[in-house]
Each structure stands twice: as C-alpha cells, then as structure tokens.
Amino acid sequence: MRAYQVTSHESPPSIADIPRPEPAKGQIRIRIRACALNFGDLLMIKGTYQDTPELPFVLGMEVSGEVDALGPDTEGPAIGTRVVVFGGGGGLAEYGCYNANQAVPLPDSMSFEHAAAFPVAYGTSHVALDYRARLQPGENLLVLGAAGGVGLTAVEIGKLMGANVIACARGADKLEVARKMGADHLIDAKTDDIRTAVKALGGADVVYDPVGGEQFKAAFRACRPEARLLPIGFASGDVPQIPANHLLVKNLTVMGLYWGGYMAFKPSVITDSMTTLFRWYSEGKITPHISHSLPLDQAAEAYELLRSRKSTGKVVVTID
C-alpha cells in the first residue's frame, strides 16, 4: 500500500510502498479515506514531539474511513462501518490498524473530510473550555492563534457556550475567518498591542493559547482577577516561563491541556466530549473549517501549508 513515511529525522518524509497491515486481536483495519494534519506532525518529523514513534513510521493522527477487517476474536464495529479514529499516527496511508475501542461511528450526515478534521481540534477546545476552564456565559474568552486548527474551534465553541469571544490572529484575512466563526472582537497580532486591546475590552477571564511566546506574555498581563489560562501548545517555538508571584497577585490559574493524554488515564473525558460534539454537529451548531484538501501524492505540499501558516482551520489529505 502507499504511505507517507518518515525514515529519518534529517530528511523529509516521502511516499513509499509498504506492506498492508493485518489487525491483531482487539484491533480493526480501516480503509482510510481522509486524514487531517496537525502541528504535532511537524514536530514528529523533526523527532521533537512528546509521542514521536520509532523510525520508520507513517504520519497522520486523525483518520476516517470504513472498517475493512477485524482482528481475531474482535467484536465490531462491523465491516463497512464508517468511523473516525484518533490513532496518534499511521493515517497517511491507504490502510491502518487501530484498537477497536478507539473507533467512533460517524453520523450519517458527516463526510470523511469533516470527520478527519474533527477529533483533535474540536476535542481539544471542548475539553479545554468546558472540562478544564469551566467557561461561563458572559465571560471574556481570549483565543490566540484564532484562525488555526484548534484556535478556530475554540472561537466557535466559546461562542456556542455563551462567551464574549476575543479572537487574535495575524492579518485581516485570518481575522475574517475567525469573525465568521463567531468572534465578537478581533485583534491583529501583527499590528495591535494585544495587552492594551484586551484590557480595553475589560480583560480576559479565560485565555486559550496554542501559540506561546510573546503573545502568551501579553495575554497573561491582560487577565482579570481569577482568570484561567490554558497553554495548549507552542506554535511560536517559545515556551513561556510563568512568574508565580503574578499568579498570586491576581489569583490566576494556569492549567495545561494535552488532549491525547486523557486516552491513557481518563478516556471518559474524551468519550463524553465527543458525544456532545457529534450531537452539536448533527444539530448544525458546529462545522469544521477546512481551508485545503489535497490528495496523498501532495502530502508534502499539505504540510508546507501548515508549516508556512498559509492555512486556516484544518488541512486534510484525501486517500482514494
């Protein structure tokens, strides 16, 4: 089968012909139809992601497709069932094997592309804002990187939860995408002073930050008393250091969120969240924003869109 494989951290991935995997006990094999790309994939390519597999490996954390085969003594989902899986890897291939209990059947109305774009971005934002930060109606939610894969879903979910959403992104085009997803206020990270702009709006009650660096520092200083800050990632490449004495002065709370980590120690958090999110999707309350969809042969170009930050929302690779 064809797969987009990493064989070295010093050279770029490439399309390779590798053996089609066979499902073990407790696993299913999926005929993959779509795979969404994530910033963590870029770190895996360099070998710096917290869960980078051993070489060689196939990229692609989020996949959707049809169940193609069951492992020995494995019950369902039945062959032919349309499913989505957050597998952590292996998605940029024609077939992949995953634990059967990781597969979530798709609503009839959901396309494979929407399904692949769904788990990480929506799951991260919903667990962060609902389970971790306990975002309340009327609170000021500041979303950094608001036009990116997770940032845009935070705008959409925050608005759905009744927050006053302040979206921060680079450039008018990206801010327009955030506005269409429900942002109430827009801050241009290229030209505006984030701290001054947020304080002029009354300060932030919750900060959702997949960027880090100087933007985190500015948001930190624009927080209201008892604000909650959510470091989601560090797309800037700069992991900020948090002055503990400032936490005391304003009674601030900083809470980390690694969505995939709940798979290992508290999977009910993810399954409960997915139940809510799929219901919202079926009700038409949320819709994935996919700025680019490319075939497997153009996987390198797809990753370059992510790397150069020319995409908004999600980038999806389709596999025929």
Side-chain angles (χ1 to χ4, degrees), residues 20-224:
R20 186 173 67 178
E22 295 296 330
K25 181 178 180 179
Q27 288 189 325
I28 57 172
R29 186 172 66 203
I30 297 174
R31 174 60 175 97
I32 298 171
R33 300 297 181 182
C35 176
L37 309 190
N38 290 278
F39 183 77
D41 296 345
L42 300 178
L43 301 181
M44 282 190 190
I45 292 170
K46 296 189 295 183
T48 59
Y49 191 62
Q50 60 261 33
D51 288 332
T52 298
E54 293 184 9
L55 295 169
F57 63 88
V58 176
L59 290 161
M61 299 182 186
E62 303 173 275
V63 302
S64 62
E66 303 109 346
V67 177
D68 167 75
L70 303 178
D73 301 319
T74 301
E75 295 183 4
I79 291 175
T81 303
R82 300 168 68 252
V83 296
V84 62
V85 176
F86 173 74
L92 287 176
E94 293 176 325
Y95 294 87
C97 292
Y98 303 94
N99 293 334
N101 60 7
Q102 291 178 297
V104 179
L106 301 183
D108 292 340
S109 60
M110 182 176 276
S111 69
F112 286 127
E113 289 176 272
H114 274 186
F118 205 83
V120 170
Y122 279 104
T124 296
S125 293
H126 184 248
V127 171
L129 297 178
D130 183 63
Y131 181 77
R132 294 290 279 155
R134 307 294 183 187
L135 179 67
Q136 299 299 307
E139 288 191 315
N140 281 355
L141 167 64
L142 171 61
V143 181
L144 304 178
V150 292
L152 203 56
T153 60
V155 170
E156 190 178 14
I157 290 173
K159 187 64 176 177
L160 188 56
M161 293 177 67
N164 182 42
V165 180
I166 306 166
C168 180
R170 298 180 66 83
D173 291 346
K174 291 187 175 182
L175 286 171
E176 176 61 16
V177 174
R179 185 193 66 78
K180 288 180 178 178
M181 281 300 212
D184 298 287
H185 306 280
L186 306 175
I187 297 174
D188 192 331
K190 289 199 299 185
T191 59
D192 296 335
D193 182 295
I194 296 173
R195 180 192 179 193
T196 300
V198 175
K199 293 191 76 171
L201 295 169
D205 295 296
V206 174
V207 175
Y208 182 98
D209 177 25
V211 178
E214 292 301 317
Q215 291 193 32
F216 177 90
K217 294 176 185 177
F220 186 91
R221 298 177 70 188
C223 283
R224 301 177 67 180

